[in-house]
Amino acid sequence: DAYQAWLVGEALLLGLLGASLALFLAHPSLPTTYALPELRLVLQTVVMLAATLVAVLAAIRFSVEGRRSDLLLACGFSVVAASTLAFAVTPVLGGQPIHRAEGWTAIAGRLVGWALIAAAPFVSGKSDRRRRSLEDALALAALALGSLWVLARFAEATLPLLVPASSQNPPSLLTAAVGLQALLNLVALAGFGLRFRNDRADLDRWLALGATLALFASLHLVFTPLLASRYVSWSDFLGVLAYAVLLVGVWRAIRFAEYGRAVAEERARVARDIHDGLAQYLFAISTHTSMLAAGAPLANALPQLQAAATSAQQEARFAVLALSSASGTAPFDAALRRYVEFLTADGALDVDLELDPAVRLAPDEQIEVFRIVQEGLGNVRKHARARHAEVVIGERAGKRFVLISDDGEGFEGEVEPSGQGLKNIRARTATIAGDFRLRTQPGRGTALEVVLRT
């Protein structure tokens, strides 16, 4: 079971991170901080960039699916990224130390961001006004961050130094803030873990893993605080690793969402094809059967009945192949070869199929390439009056391509073809960010090529 496997892995990770923290606490002589100001700036920049990317990906997922939890994730990581950039990275670019107002605003911004992230697994439902909701939420988050900055500037004289000059003990307010962040990380870990148990969503597993690493990053700061802003500690490394894990999880969720959308659209398209094709042949079979029952001459009705039945059988096979390819239940190359076999079974068209085994297609590309080949060969059968066609899926000059050519009649290349089949191929090519090329001359056949994204 996926949840049990995650639970075991989570227990092992907690044990490993807990043991490493205990080791540092049991042996104070072990170094926990290093005076590397340039590396600290690099790590803070990496955290900012990773949080920005996670926020963007969460916003994209919200725009696709409209889940309110994704909206909170987008806002939370946006606040973390903005506070890190404005108050932890930019102030030290000129070699200056971080002042109290900037330092405390950065801490408060991280707390606000992680509060939103921790609340995400406990929010359900979808938003109908996705773009407006996202804009309003991001504007509100920016306003909150700006308000924290203004408050810190007014209260700067009363705020304690982040690192006292005469003591290595951090101020109690800083310890409380880091402890609160650890608590928020723990709430996020528990929330995403519970949601993964209930829904088995892959994103929740990765978010829980990232929250685990962030939790121990905070705990390291609680028990082994930094001596100065120029130092780096194990907390910084764990924080970078946490955001890297979060970035991988959200990216995987985006890919799965796009794949699911493509599968849903493909199934809807196949349903339309069944309605427009198979259903019409079945209606014809029913009509001819009724005519036979009414006493129509067998010699007239039987050939039409057989032709309709043969066409219905072929349409049903094509629909099954398209569904199996779209759902991933049949390997792409096997489904494509079976389709070509069915298409050429009557001997009206000879098709050579060449598939380079080194070419790898993403799930969304497999669906669209299958349909592009189907549309292209369908055009060849219906309109080109060709005897031979060739389909090549390979790689040339580092670019993957799909080539469909025939020895049919062709047409004037300067004239933009208006056939629905070519329009569908263009649309499918654009869906997977490819380039469409068409070469044809009257009497010399047609070749269409789709160059896939790099």
Side-chain angles (χ1 to χ4, degrees):
D1 179 76
Y3 174 71
Q4 292 177 347
W6 170 83
L7 201 59
V8 172
E10 187 71 19
L12 292 175
L13 180 62
L14 288 171
L16 178 63
L17 294 176
S20 65
L21 179 59
L23 180 65
F24 285 113
L25 295 179
H27 299 277
S29 60
L30 293 176
T32 59
T33 57
Y34 308 88
L36 298 169
E38 292 82 5
L39 180 59
R40 179 170 179 79
L41 179 61
V42 170
L43 294 179
Q44 292 282 3
T45 304
V46 170
V47 168
M48 181 271 298
L49 293 175
T52 301
L53 290 174
V54 173
V56 170
L57 292 175
I60 293 174
R61 191 168 187 260
F62 172 73
S63 66
V64 173
E65 299 184 358
R67 299 178 186 272
R68 293 191 177 96
S69 58
D70 292 331
L71 178 61
L72 287 179
L73 288 176
C75 292
F77 285 111
S78 295
V79 171
V80 172
S83 61
T84 303
L85 173 63
F87 307 114
V89 174
T90 304
V92 300
L93 289 178
Q96 299 296 322
I98 298 178
H99 298 94
R100 276 182 286 184
E102 288 87 353
W104 283 105
T105 305
I107 293 173
R110 285 195 294 269
L111 290 176
V112 171
W114 271 99
L116 294 172
I117 297 168
F122 303 100
V123 175
S124 60
K126 294 187 177 183
S127 174
D128 296 330
R129 304 167 59 191
R130 299 175 187 177
R131 182 174 179 179
R132 181 65 180 274
S133 299
L134 183 60
E135 292 175 351
D136 292 345
L138 291 177
L140 186 60
L143 179 61
L145 193 59
S147 301
L148 290 174
W149 160 245
V150 172
L151 290 175
R153 289 289 294 176
F154 275 109
E156 186 172 10
T158 62
L159 291 173
L161 292 172
L162 292 175
V163 181
S166 59
S167 173
Q168 292 185 356
N169 295 322
S172 57
L173 183 59
L174 178 60
T175 303
V178 177
L180 178 58
Q181 183 170 335
L183 178 61
L184 292 173
N185 299 144
L186 180 61
V187 172
L189 165 60
F192 289 117
L194 290 173
R195 198 165 72 169
F196 178 63
R197 183 191 66 179
N198 296 331
D199 301 337
R200 298 297 197 273
D202 183 74
L203 175 61
D204 295 330
R205 169 169 48 192
W206 287 87
L207 290 174
L209 178 59
T212 303
L213 295 169
L215 168 62
F216 279 89
S218 301
L219 290 177
H220 267 276
L221 283 182
V222 171
F223 294 106
T224 57
L226 290 176
L227 303 178
S229 60
R230 67 179 184 277
Y231 281 78
V232 296
S233 71
W234 290 107
S235 172
D236 296 297
F237 296 110
L238 285 175
V240 171
L241 184 58
Y243 282 98
V245 168
L246 292 169
L247 182 60
V248 171
V250 178
W251 174 250
R252 282 169 56 92
I254 290 291
R255 293 297 302 272
F256 287 157
E258 288 297 313
Y259 177 57
R261 177 194 59 80
V263 169
E265 291 181 355
E266 181 64 12
R267 286 176 173 170
R269 196 208 63 78
V270 172
R272 291 194 299 270
D273 286 351
I274 292 175
H275 177 270
D276 296 338
L278 181 59
Q280 301 303 319
Y281 291 124
L282 293 177
F283 176 76
I285 292 173
S286 176
T287 301
H288 293 308
T289 304
S290 300
M291 292 171 59
L292 285 174
L298 183 63
N300 295 336
L302 187 58
Q304 297 178 355
L305 182 61
Q306 290 175 333
T310 300
S311 299
Q313 184 182 31
Q314 188 179 51
E315 285 288 334
R317 287 174 175 174
F318 290 166
V320 170
L321 280 175
L323 283 172
S324 63
S325 176
S327 63
T329 58
F332 169 77
D333 54 346
L336 195 55
R337 293 185 189 280
R338 288 171 57 196
Y339 170 75
V340 171
E341 290 175 2
F342 289 142
L343 185 71
T344 58
D346 58 0
L349 178 68
D350 180 40
V351 177
D352 289 337
L353 179 61
E354 181 181 340
L355 302 178
D356 186 349
V359 173
R360 295 289 182 265
L361 300 177
D364 59 331
E365 291 177 328
Q366 291 184 14
I367 296 170
E368 299 301 341
V369 168
F370 183 91
R371 302 307 298 184
I372 286 171
V373 173
Q374 187 181 32
E375 294 274 8
L377 292 180
N379 282 347
V380 173
R381 275 186 64 102
K382 295 175 183 177
H383 309 298
R385 296 184 182 178
R387 295 294 302 169
H388 180 266
E390 184 180 15
V391 177
V392 180
I393 300 178
E395 185 172 348
R396 181 178 58 241
K399 294 184 177 180
R400 299 168 301 153
F401 68 92
V402 180
L403 176 65
I404 306 171
S405 59
D406 65 74
D407 61 356
E409 294 181 341
F411 50 88
E412 290 290 342
E414 293 78 9
V415 178
E416 179 70 18
S418 58
Q420 187 61 41
L422 288 175
K423 289 182 179 179
N424 291 340
I425 292 175
R426 291 181 184 275
R428 292 184 181 281
T429 302
T431 299
I432 53 177
D435 294 326
F436 177 82
R437 302 169 184 172
L438 180 67
R439 301 189 302 272
T440 182
Q441 289 183 3
R444 303 190 64 176
T446 302
L448 63 89
E449 184 179 61
V450 174
V451 179
L452 301 175
R453 62 178 181 245
T454 56

